Amino acid sequence: MKVVRAKSAGFCFGVKNAVGTAYKMIENRQDGERLIMLGELTHNEIVTRELLSGGFEIIDRAEDIPDGSTVIIRAHGVTPEQKRILDAKNCKVNDCTCPFVDKIHKIVKEQAEKGNQIILTGTPGHPEVEGIRGEAPNNVVVISSCEELKSIKIIPDKTVLISQTTFSAPVFEQICAIIENKIANNQIFDTICNTTVCRQGEAMRISAEVDVMIIIGSAHSSNTKKLYEIAVSRCCRTYLVTDASDVAKLIEDGKIKTDDVVGITAGASTPEAIILEVVQTMDEKEIMDQADINFADYIEGIPQLRRNAVVKGVITSADADYVYVDVRDKSDGKISLREFAGDPDFNVEEAVANKQEVTVVVKSIKNTEQGKEIILSKSALEFEKNKQVLQEAYENKTPVTAVITGDVKDGVIANFGGVDIYIHKTQIKMGEVKDLKALKGQQIEVLITKFDTEKHRLRVSGSHRQIMIQERKAKEDEVWGAIEEGKTYKGIVRSLPAFGAFVDIGGVDGLVHITELSWKRISKPSDVLSVGDEIDVYVKSFDRDTKKISLGYRRPEDDPFYNIEERIPVGSCVKGTVVRITDFGAFVQLEPDLDALCHVSQISNVRLKSPEDVLSIGMEVIAKVTSIKPAERKISISIKEVQPIDPEIDEIEEAAEAPAEE
């Protein structure tokens, strides 16, 4: 038989995220911790049973959840009131509300605050619909057909139309056609999930082309029922099944024949593994019914799976946690996706598309209510070899290179050829690590600090920080072996205390005092430098006993007074700008950071009461250099000797007529 499978069948993004989160909650569960689903997480009995067996409880009302529980909110979302109750009970909440559903909540809340009437197309009583209604119970009217729209009074400027994410796209289009002439376009929100539209479109197309249509999912699932309604309207031999056993029964009863073309799709709550089992059931039936194949030869060609057996298979699919491998058994085996984290050349999408072959070890085979569970391992093949490598690295104190695959409460896990190495957060680098999650996927060189095989369990710990310390010690010895006064280094600014800057010159920190940072007066080191800057420094002095190094940063040639007597000799004329005026004179800037003082007596031929009688800030003047004292960093000039600036005659007379001070 020919099988046509819909491309977008199975878990949608929201459900996949919620189920994946739930399994991680089980994995990380603490002693005494109560795991609660606020309502059934997904409309799939198999997934629900697995979560319940893993320790979850289902409680439908937030009021009934014990204080302090760990709660997961399903993709359908809940009402704001339920969230407030959980918060009041100090519950730890994992909110897995689908982003598309969350968007509808925000729109409804916003429109209700404007006083608008909200028409919501959806299934009354559905968890998603009830959660949305909770944003504005008095403003939301739920309808599921065009007929129900007739009984609603539409106010053109005060009515909006919105939809449940899994509502029937064709029905929503019909409702839009009726209402679009009664309200503005910007009051119609098409919030049907694109995945839903694709699923329904594929179901419509495939069901019209096949002899038999199979819908996999729960009869309680809204989106699954929509798929069934669409398919049965186009293919009378449409069946809603829960799993592969239902399909096997249909084949046995003759409702599906070997020469049929069979279409398959699945609701958003159906795991990929169940879809694959359904497809595989049909493939097996096809093989058994082909007359030209010797069934005994076929059985002989199937490898007998057993624990610790090494087998080859092809990658068929993947989800958030596992890569699934066809090992020529009724059920696919699965490998934890973590095993591929250390392989930079592995791309899961390409592996599935290309049916990549892998060699694996069978770790365990269990029969469960959902069928056979085959756990495989790719890394276990080299585990023993790499375990020996790590033991030798531990004994010889030689580093190894591993890949960080994830974070834990107080550190990270790195993987070396299938062997996990625990690295405490204080052993990752010299300073504090603020974001452990950001390290995932990075290669790291590790010194093995613990290799424990007691109690038949391998525990390996490592440190990158110790490698850094060793490298720093080697560099430190190199620096102290070659250091001398005047030697220059390229350094990195490590910190900026109030009194200067500590600079790493290759394994050793030296101090540049604040007075050595600039020829200008500065209030703090950060006026000149920033942490992380690469700068050129030179050794002023050092003490091997105390391990202290004094560094210089400013250069003599950068000093405004450098070679001053040659550049501006005494007796030369200079041009400058008045930058500051005092009672005793004026400071004139000759060059950037180089000021000279013109005493009040050297400004004019007339005795001035104040330099401000003839000078102002910003005024350009010409003067003669009368004195230079480099050691005191002083320059004196005289305006009077070149071009005296005298006040106007009226000003002199006024000054003469003014009564003398008693």
Side-chain angles (χ1 to χ4, degrees):
M1 70 185 67
K2 180 181 178 181
V3 176
V4 180
R5 174 183 166 176
K7 293 180 180 179
S8 57
F11 275 172
C12 67
F13 168 80
V15 175
K16 184 176 181 180
N17 175 59
V19 173
T21 300
Y23 281 120
K24 286 186 175 68
M25 289 168 66
I26 292 173
E27 185 179 337
N28 299 324
R29 184 184 184 188
Q30 304 296 314
D31 291 341
E33 183 180 15
R34 292 187 70 173
L35 302 181
I36 309 293
M37 286 184 262
L38 182 50
E40 196 173 79
L41 190 65
T42 177
H43 292 306
N44 186 277
E45 295 85 351
I46 295 172
V47 174
T48 301
R49 282 200 302 269
E50 283 188 359
L51 294 177
L52 291 174
S53 65
F56 265 99
E57 306 170 50
I58 299 177
I59 297 179
D60 293 321
R61 301 190 328 148
E63 301 94 302
D64 299 331
I65 293 177
D67 290 4
S69 299
T70 300
V71 182
I72 186 169
I73 294 176
R74 57 194 166 188
H76 294 316
V78 295
T79 66
E81 178 60 24
Q82 287 177 303
K83 289 185 178 181
R84 283 192 288 270
I85 293 171
L86 293 176
D87 186 55
K89 287 174 173 282
N90 294 317
C91 292
K92 179 183 176 183
V93 178
N94 288 296
D95 190 351
C96 293
T97 302
C98 173
F100 299 107
V101 176
D102 191 52
K103 177 183 176 183
I104 300 173
H105 278 254
K106 292 175 181 175
I107 294 173
V108 169
K109 181 180 179 181
E110 179 183 321
Q111 294 299 324
E113 288 173 350
K114 294 178 180 179
N116 290 336
Q117 172 185 240
I118 300 151
I119 300 174
L120 171 64
T121 60
T123 304
H126 188 279
E128 180 185 327
V129 172
E130 291 307 302
I132 294 168
R133 282 188 67 250
E135 294 288 352
N138 299 325
N139 296 67
V140 178
V141 180
V142 181
I143 64 170
S144 56
S145 67
C146 297
E147 190 67 25
E148 294 174 27
L149 184 63
K150 296 177 182 178
S151 61
I152 300 174
K153 182 180 179 181
I154 297 173
I155 307 169
D157 296 330
K158 301 295 288 183
T159 301
V160 297
L161 177 67
I162 201 164
S163 179
Q164 177 186 355
T165 57
T166 56
F167 190 67
S168 169
V171 176
F172 184 73
E173 288 178 5
Q174 293 170 12
I175 292 173
C176 287
I178 295 171
I179 207 172
E180 65 181 355
N181 294 325
K182 300 179 181 180
I183 64 175
N185 285 337
N186 63 358
Q187 292 170 243
I188 297 175
F189 297 88
D190 184 357
T191 49
I192 296 177
C193 176
N194 186 56
T195 302
T196 298
V197 175
C198 291
R199 289 175 196 276
Q200 293 178 2
E202 280 193 292
M204 190 180 299
R205 176 182 57 80
I206 294 173
S207 59
E209 299 173 353
V210 298
D211 302 310
V212 179
M213 190 70 187
I214 301 294
I215 313 295
I216 311 170
S218 168
H220 302 296
S221 167
S222 173
N223 68 83
T224 302
K225 286 191 287 187
K226 296 286 191 312
L227 293 176
Y228 178 80
E229 291 166 3
I230 290 170
V232 78
S233 68
R234 289 162 175 74
C235 177
C236 60
R237 292 167 65 193
T238 295
Y239 303 101
L240 176 61
V241 303
T242 303
D243 54 24
S245 62
D246 291 343
V247 175
K249 185 72 166 58
L250 291 172
I251 294 173
E252 290 173 9
D253 293 345
K255 293 181 178 179
I256 301 177
K257 301 178 177 60
T258 55
D259 57 351
D260 281 334
V261 177
V262 182
I264 294 177
T265 190
S269 300
T270 306
E272 176 70 15
I274 293 178
I275 301 173
L276 290 173
E277 284 187 2
V278 169
V279 174
Q280 196 168 26
T281 298
M282 293 183 178
D283 288 343
E284 289 171 353
K285 181 64 180 174
E286 174 73 0
I287 291 170
M288 292 177 67
D289 287 350
Q290 287 180 8
D292 58 343
I293 293 180
N294 186 307
F295 188 65
D297 291 342
Y298 174 76
I299 293 296
E300 185 68 26
I302 299 178
Q304 298 300 306
L305 293 182
R306 66 183 186 282
R307 190 169 179 270
N308 295 328
V310 178
V311 298
K312 288 186 176 182
V314 294
I315 295 173
T316 58
S317 63
D319 58 25
D321 300 303
Y322 295 99
V323 170
Y324 295 89
V325 180
D326 179 2
V327 286
R328 300 181 70 185
D329 190 89
K330 181 177 180 180
S331 300
D332 277 359
K334 59 183 183 180
I335 308 172
S336 172
L337 195 59
R338 284 182 56 197
E339 292 200 16
F340 296 90
D343 184 355
D345 298 324
F346 180 79
N347 181 291
V348 66
E349 289 82 7
E350 291 180 2
V352 172
N354 299 331
K355 303 293 182 185
Q356 183 175 317
E357 186 177 78
V358 289
T359 303
V360 293
V361 172
V362 180
K363 298 294 290 182
S364 66
I365 303 175
K366 293 190 296 184
N367 291 314
T368 68
E369 293 181 3
Q370 291 77 46
K372 188 186 293 184
E373 181 184 58
I374 305 170
I375 304 297
L376 307 173
S377 175
K378 173 177 171 289
S379 60
L381 283 174
E382 298 188 1
F383 181 85
E384 289 301 323
K385 180 182 74 175
N386 291 318
K387 174 183 170 183
Q388 182 64 32
V389 172
L390 288 181
Q391 185 170 6
E392 292 175 1
Y394 171 68
E395 293 169 352
N396 299 328
K397 300 189 184 306
T398 55
V400 297
T401 301
V403 176
I404 297 175
T405 56
D407 64 287
V408 290
K409 183 178 180 181
D410 55 358
V412 297
I413 302 297
N415 188 272
F416 177 81
V419 183
D420 283 343
I421 304 170
Y422 167 70
I423 308 172
H424 192 271
K425 59 186 178 183
T426 60
Q427 298 300 311
I428 297 173
K429 66 175 190 176
M430 299 294 287
E432 180 185 2
V433 180
K434 294 183 179 179
D435 187 1
L436 294 172
K437 294 185 183 299
L439 300 175
K440 185 175 180 180
Q442 293 185 18
Q443 283 194 340
I444 187 169
E445 199 173 19
V446 183
L447 189 68
I448 306 302
T449 56
K450 178 180 179 181
F451 189 90
D452 185 2
T453 57
E454 291 184 8
K455 298 181 181 179
H456 305 289
R457 181 179 177 182
L458 179 63
R459 289 183 174 86
V460 183
S461 299
S463 170
H464 178 66
R465 184 174 184 272
Q466 288 197 20
I467 294 175
M468 295 178 72
I469 291 173
Q470 290 177 4
E471 291 176 346
R472 187 176 178 86
K473 180 65 169 63
K475 290 179 180 178
E476 183 179 338
D477 292 343
E478 183 180 340
V479 170
W480 282 110
I483 195 168
E484 58 185 36
E485 289 186 9
K487 188 169 184 177
T488 60
Y489 292 92
K490 277 199 176 294
I492 303 294
V493 178
R494 294 301 184 197
S495 63
L496 294 170
F499 51 84
F502 282 105
V503 179
D504 182 349
I505 57 173
V508 180
D509 284 352
L511 173 66
V512 181
H513 194 269
I514 189 170
T515 58
E516 284 293 325
L517 289 175
S518 175
W519 290 106
K520 296 188 297 182
R521 179 173 298 215
I522 60 173
S523 60
K524 55 186 182 300
S526 58
D527 290 341
V528 179
L529 298 174
S530 299
V531 173
D533 284 353
E534 184 178 71
I535 62 174
D536 292 320
V537 292
Y538 61 93
V539 178
K540 292 190 67 182
S541 63
F542 61 90
D543 188 327
R544 283 193 170 87
D545 295 331
T546 60
K547 299 294 183 182
K548 290 183 178 180
I549 302 174
S550 176
L551 299 173
Y553 173 61
R554 62 184 189 179
R555 305 290 173 181
E557 56 268 29
D558 297 329
D559 183 1
F561 278 84
Y562 179 73
N563 204 19
I564 188 69
E565 292 174 303
E566 294 180 18
R567 292 189 293 113
I568 309 176
V570 173
S572 62
C573 288
V574 292
K575 185 177 182 179
T577 303
V578 177
V579 292
R580 187 158 54 97
I581 297 175
T582 67
D583 291 340
F584 56 83
F587 286 92
V588 178
Q589 186 182 74
L590 306 182
E591 295 177 356
D593 301 322
L594 183 66
D595 294 348
L597 173 63
C598 183
H599 193 269
V600 65
S601 64
Q602 296 298 313
I603 298 174
S604 173
N605 288 321
V606 178
R607 184 173 182 176
L608 303 175
K609 292 180 64 176
S610 168
E612 289 182 322
D613 291 344
V614 293
L615 296 179
S616 60
I617 302 296
M619 180 185 247
E620 287 191 349
V621 296
I622 298 174
K624 180 180 180 181
V625 179
T626 59
S627 172
I628 297 178
K629 298 178 180 178
E632 298 177 30
R633 306 182 71 78
K634 291 181 179 179
I635 302 175
S636 297
I637 59 175
S638 173
I639 297 173
K640 183 172 70 173
E641 292 190 28
V642 179
Q643 190 175 333
I645 305 174
D646 297 331
E648 297 293 331
I649 299 298
D650 292 344
E651 294 176 359
I652 297 173
E653 290 176 351
E654 287 176 9
E657 292 173 359
E661 294 183 4
E662 294 183 0

